[in-house]
Amino acid sequence: MRMRTAVGIVGAGPAGLMLSHLLHRRGIESVVVESRSRESIEATIRAGVLEQGTVDLMVETGIGERLRREGFVHHGTELRFGGRGHRINFYELTGGRVVTVYAQHEVLKDLIQARLNDGGRILFEHRATAIEDATGERPAIRLTGPDGRPETLECDFVAGCDGFHGIGRATIPEAARREYLRVYPFGWFGILAKAPPSSDELIYARHERGFALISTRSPEVQRMYFQCDPSDSVENWSDDRIWEELQARTEGQGFRLREGAIFQKGIVPMRSFVCETMRHGRLFLAGDAAHIVPPTGAKGLNLAVNDVFLLARAIGSHYATGSPELLDGYPAAALRRIWRAQHFSWWMTSMLHRFADASEFDDRRQLAELELITTSLPAATVLAQNYVGMPLG
Ligand code: FAD
Ligand code: DHB
């Protein structure tokens, strides 16, 4: 079977679905190809913090209604170290910018619903097996549908929005791309628990036993993480052991986490990764297909949204004016923000995690850095501005 569209998009994550949504608003047709089922995508727990720019884009493009109703606006965050909490006031330090806690799979539900309401096509349970003729005039995506039959999607452009393990990046010949990678010697153990919130704002805690993060999902469900061995297994962690570890890492000033039944556990590895370039002929990469950040700065989803904001504008400009200028400039434009977020995510990770080979000097230097961030206005402003993010584009 052969199909044809203007933009063939591989992957129905935040990057692929948002790109399809933004293209539709410019009157450009697309088809999204996704190997997983709708149910599986809408149930996968991942990121939770939306930058101001991501929220603004969702609201401005008509998909922000539930986000406005159910998202939690946070005006600041707490850095906890040495047994004390220190507040960073985003709102004051950035001239009124804030973040919103709203889970990634809720964003995906809103995007999928909007695409379907607008007559958009998402081919769930269709795996892209190859991208052909990326450097020609008529690239094509080869697919396998749920019945195992091969299909072909011909397009003007292909967007590789298929995450770190997808085929988009692998389609760019090795000689034409350069990859930068740092693997961290720890991972994050993440849980969801049925419990009331322990804090009005997120807590990023640095402790001798390692990093911990207290986040939220709703008044009834809390999201928490703690630094762990990336090769550890969730089976080694009983609920009691998890609570003991989280309590120890957030202790001080009489603070106690409110505990509850843990109903989801998982371990994610931590790496920093960038692929340059993000373009090969008519194939463009966006989101995790081109870059990964460690989650400490909450940038992964937001970077994916910035990429496709730029890409939709560039493709729109191509169809509207015939000019290749924005398409040619896409990798450089996207990479500026990507490297800013790479630095910020690495910095937050380095400042808050325990490294097994850290010397006593390293420990004291780390604490001195946290003291600086929480007592100097210019230093706190750097953190706040990076955390809430610059306007898109
Ligand atoms: P993805 O969301 O990965 O979407 C890619 C899609 O492409 C997937 O649905 C996949 O099924 C599909 N696909 C892949 N290959 C094919 C193919 N051949 N054919 C068809 N479809 C294909 N970030 C944070 O900021 N904070 C967090 O706490 C956090 N937690 C995370 C936890 C996990 C387990 C993971 C994996 C990531 C986490 N992230 C987090 C990062 C954040 O979720 C990502 O940056 C974000 O999902 C990137 O969106 P994306 O659309 O680029 O890629
Ligand atoms: C969440 C995830 C993050 O990576 C982060 O830095 C803050 C919050 C979350 O899942 O809520």
Side-chain angles (χ1 to χ4, degrees):
M1 197 170 92
R2 294 184 92 78
M3 299 168 277
R4 177 147 188 95
T5 190
V7 183
I9 300 173
V10 188
L17 289 168
M18 182 63 91
L19 177 62
S20 180
H21 174 64
L22 296 177
L23 289 173
H24 167 73
R25 290 179 53 84
R26 291 175 178 271
I28 299 165
E29 191 193 87
S30 65
V31 173
V32 180
V33 178
E34 169 57 54
S35 54
R36 296 160 66 202
S37 69
R38 179 177 179 181
E39 294 70 34
S40 147
I41 287 177
E42 292 188 345
T44 302
I45 308 298
R46 284 193 174 181
V49 175
L50 306 186
E51 290 179 4
Q52 178 86 59
T54 301
V55 170
D56 291 346
L57 184 68
M58 287 181 67
V59 170
E60 281 160 18
T61 63
I63 51 167
E65 197 205 318
R66 205 162 62 91
L67 161 69
R68 272 194 157 152
R69 214 172 47 237
E70 298 176 16
F72 297 95
V73 174
H74 285 204
H75 290 235
T77 195
E78 182 179 313
L79 297 184
R80 200 160 243 282
F81 58 95
R84 294 191 53 203
H86 308 256
R87 182 156 191 260
I88 304 285
N89 188 329
F90 299 148
Y91 188 83
E92 282 180 8
L93 292 167
T94 65
R97 294 172 75 77
V98 295
V99 294
T100 300
V101 178
Y102 188 68
Q104 175 165 333
H105 64 281
E106 303 296 346
V107 176
L108 295 184
K109 283 184 203 168
D110 297 340
L111 278 165
I112 289 169
Q113 196 56 59
R115 286 312 296 125
L116 299 180
N117 290 349
D118 290 337
R121 289 187 70 193
I122 309 172
L123 305 178
F124 291 108
E125 296 175 69
H126 280 69
R127 173 171 296 281
T129 53
I131 297 165
E132 292 178 351
D133 279 336
T135 53
E137 285 297 307
R138 290 202 142 207
I141 305 171
R142 302 259 178 238
L143 325 171
T144 309
D147 54 9
R149 273 195 318 169
E151 298 172 26
T152 301
L153 176 62
E154 290 176 354
C155 20
D156 298 339
F157 297 103
V158 177
C161 300
D162 47 354
F164 186 67
H165 301 287
I167 62 166
R169 190 175 68 255
T171 301
I172 304 179
E174 263 179 49
R177 63 182 140 99
R178 171 134 195 226
E179 297 187 343
Y180 301 82
L181 173 70
R182 168 186 285 253
V183 177
Y184 297 84
F186 38 74
W188 273 16
F189 196 113
I191 64 159
L192 282 172
K194 282 208 169 54
S198 301
S199 160
D200 290 339
E201 293 176 343
L202 269 59
I203 301 175
Y204 286 84
R206 182 260 182 214
H207 190 270
E208 281 65 38
R209 290 167 77 143
F211 170 77
L213 170 59
I214 310 305
S215 181
T216 185
R217 285 292 178 269
S218 72
E220 297 83 30
V221 173
Q222 308 314 315
R223 180 80 165 138
M224 303 182 197
Y225 303 90
F226 57 93
Q227 175 184 351
C228 69
D229 182 334
S231 62
D232 207 340
S233 156
V234 292
E235 281 76 46
N236 294 331
W237 288 85
S238 67
D239 289 13
D240 284 350
R241 187 175 170 216
I242 290 171
W243 286 120
E244 190 188 314
E245 198 60 40
L246 283 167
Q247 294 287 11
R249 294 187 190 192
T250 53
E251 73 187 350
Q253 295 173 301
F255 181 83
R256 286 291 294 173
L257 283 172
R258 300 169 78 176
E259 302 182 4
I262 296 173
F263 62 95
Q264 211 255 351
K265 301 178 189 178
I267 294 176
V268 286
M270 307 258 286
R271 56 170 96 81
S272 301
F273 172 81
V274 180
C275 172
E276 294 185 2
T277 179
M278 296 169 67
R279 176 192 189 168
H280 185 58
R282 288 174 167 259
L283 164 67
F284 293 84
L285 302 183
D288 278 15
H291 44 80
I292 299 285
V293 285
T296 326
K299 289 285 163 237
L301 184 163
N302 296 292
L303 265 189
V305 168
N306 190 65
D307 286 355
V308 298
F309 174 83
L310 292 168
L311 187 53
R313 193 161 71 181
I315 293 174
S317 161
H318 164 87
Y319 283 112
T321 68
S323 161
E325 198 181 339
L326 290 187
L327 281 175
D328 291 344
Y330 167 70
L335 282 160
R336 270 198 293 279
R337 194 186 187 98
I338 290 163
W339 279 109
R340 173 90 306 280
Q342 287 292 347
H343 168 261
F344 178 65
S345 306
W346 163 86
W347 176 54
M348 288 284 281
T349 302
S350 311
M351 185 163 65
L352 290 159
H353 289 70
R354 289 303 307 270
F355 289 77
D357 59 355
S359 65
E360 286 180 2
F361 175 86
D362 295 330
D363 285 346
R364 296 303 291 259
R365 185 197 44 74
Q366 201 178 40
L367 287 169
E369 187 168 24
L370 284 161
E371 280 291 337
L372 174 72
I373 296 301
T374 50
T375 54
S376 147
L377 213 55
T381 305
V382 169
L383 191 149
Q385 280 180 339
N386 278 272
Y387 196 89
V388 301
M390 301 301 269
L392 294 179

